[in-house]
Amino acid sequence: MIAFIVNPTAGNGKAYRMIPKIEKYMKDKNINHKFFITKYPGHGTILAREAVKDDFEIVVAVGGDGTVHEVINGISDSNVALGIIPLGTGNDFARYFRIPKDVYKALEILLTKKTKLIDSAVINKYITCNNVANIGIDADVAVQVTKFKRFVSGILAYTLSLINVLFKYKPYNVKIDIDGKTIKRRIMLAAFGNCSFYGGGFKILPDANPDDGYLDVIIVNEISKFKLLFLLPMAIFGKHTSLKCVETYKAEKIHIDAERELALCVDGEVILSDTIVLNVKKNSVKICTN
């Protein structure tokens, strides 16, 4: 059985509008399935947990990265496979696995029942991060992106939000422990994750591998805002890691202490904290993929 968890607001309503097409496809293939519609933030996690209890084999996130995030948090620690029909704004997690935006092609992947085990990150012991978590200017930008997503999408929404945040942003001090090695930095941004993309297509962690048992880390130290604008186009193609202001690491455990409460963006969802602990959780998510 396949459960489809649909975020009706994803992609400005596109995910909801695709339900009849998905329904017809599944009926034509004579596959047992059921739709669940989210009604509020976090509802996808609750629905996914119920689907696990009801013995669904595959739980499909129909929406964007936020929907995928909620579904993964609902199926973690189970043998249920994650499916994705990427109908959101950024679709960065699906982009890494080359899951097509075409609904029918995405559905075909589900029917092959080919799966891959990947790692995840557990943040502060209770949040599962499947893609990228980040702090700094880009996390502040993520807060603004939700406003611009009503009008534009992808990298354009990210760029407009960045311009909005850039003029008032001030770098801050953090202490980061990476597998027992402590470094102190004044950062523009830092990102940690299993996959490469965020912000609607920026390849922020170009060397990330979701099944290598490590989290990738990137730190961009304090630079002028003009230089940051130079760095961002390079990040679209993953070429920014060659710059002197950029540090990269791989780690199993990361502990971050900040001088103030900061925004932490987890798979596009924002929480506030001054202490962040990330632990890699190996082979924890089964994903339907090509």
Side-chain angles (χ1 to χ4, degrees):
M1 295 192 297
I2 299 179
F4 292 92
I5 296 180
V6 183
N7 178 353
T9 64
N12 292 320
K14 184 177 181 181
Y16 188 77
R17 293 193 298 271
M18 288 296 109
I19 290 177
K21 290 186 177 182
I22 299 170
E23 174 74 11
K24 183 177 186 306
Y25 182 92
M26 298 302 286
K27 284 186 174 179
D28 289 345
K29 298 290 184 180
N30 196 29
I31 297 172
N32 194 4
H33 65 284
K34 188 174 180 179
F35 288 93
F36 301 88
I37 312 299
T38 63
K39 297 180 180 179
Y40 49 84
H43 194 201
T45 297
I46 295 170
L47 293 173
R49 286 177 183 151
E50 291 174 355
V52 171
K53 291 179 182 177
D54 291 338
D55 296 324
F56 282 91
E57 298 174 75
I58 301 172
V59 178
V60 184
V62 184
D65 291 313
T67 311
V68 174
H69 172 77
E70 290 192 6
V71 170
I72 280 186
N73 275 267
I75 66 172
S76 59
D77 299 317
S78 78
N79 196 40
V80 173
L82 168 73
I84 304 172
I85 299 180
L87 296 174
T89 304
N91 303 309
D92 288 307
F93 186 67
R95 178 179 286 107
Y96 183 88
F97 292 100
R98 298 181 181 177
I99 297 172
K101 292 182 180 180
D102 181 274
V103 170
Y104 299 118
K105 290 180 180 178
L107 285 166
E108 286 173 9
I109 291 174
L110 303 180
L111 302 192
T112 66
K113 293 189 176 180
K114 182 180 177 182
T115 61
K116 176 184 178 70
L117 274 174
I118 62 171
D119 306 327
S120 61
V122 177
I123 300 175
N124 291 358
K125 296 183 179 181
Y126 73 97
I127 302 172
T128 298
C129 170
N130 55 278
N131 190 37
V132 176
N134 52 286
I135 58 175
I137 191 169
D138 47 349
D140 291 354
V141 168
V143 177
Q144 294 295 318
V145 166
T146 57
K147 300 176 182 179
F148 284 101
K149 280 199 300 188
R150 298 176 223 167
F151 312 105
V152 293
S153 62
I155 288 178
L156 180 57
Y158 182 91
T159 304
L160 291 173
S161 301
L162 173 67
I163 293 169
N164 194 327
V165 170
L166 191 61
F167 294 104
K168 55 186 178 183
Y169 182 79
K170 294 181 180 180
Y172 53 81
N173 297 313
V174 294
K175 182 171 69 173
I176 306 177
D177 183 288
I178 301 173
D179 284 344
K181 177 185 177 182
T182 300
I183 59 175
K184 294 180 180 180
R185 298 289 186 270
R186 187 167 177 82
I187 66 165
M188 297 299 287
L189 63 92
F192 322 87
N194 296 293
C195 299
S196 295
F197 299 98
Y198 80 164
F202 286 87
K203 201 172 185 179
I204 191 67
L205 299 172
D207 299 322
N209 181 347
D211 60 2
D212 66 355
Y214 293 95
L215 300 175
D216 274 52
V217 180
I218 186 166
I219 299 169
V220 178
N221 293 300
E222 183 176 13
I223 53 175
S224 70
K225 293 174 180 177
F226 175 79
K227 287 183 178 179
L228 182 65
L229 290 174
F230 175 75
L231 179 148
L232 288 170
M234 297 179 69
I236 295 174
F237 304 101
K239 301 297 183 182
H240 56 295
T241 55
S242 61
L243 299 175
K244 290 182 179 180
C245 62
V246 176
E247 299 177 60
T248 60
Y249 303 90
K250 285 186 178 287
E252 293 182 273
K253 182 175 181 179
I254 303 156
H255 187 117
I256 305 160
D257 287 310
E259 62 184 0
R260 60 174 172 82
E261 186 176 68
L262 49 84
L264 169 68
C265 184
V266 183
D267 299 336
E269 306 299 308
V270 179
I271 62 173
L272 298 175
S273 181
D274 58 1
T275 301
I276 303 161
V277 180
L278 303 95
N279 289 278
V280 69
K281 193 172 183 180
K282 300 176 184 179
N283 299 324
S284 60
V285 177
K286 185 164 66 171
I287 179 174
C288 299
T289 186
N290 288 309

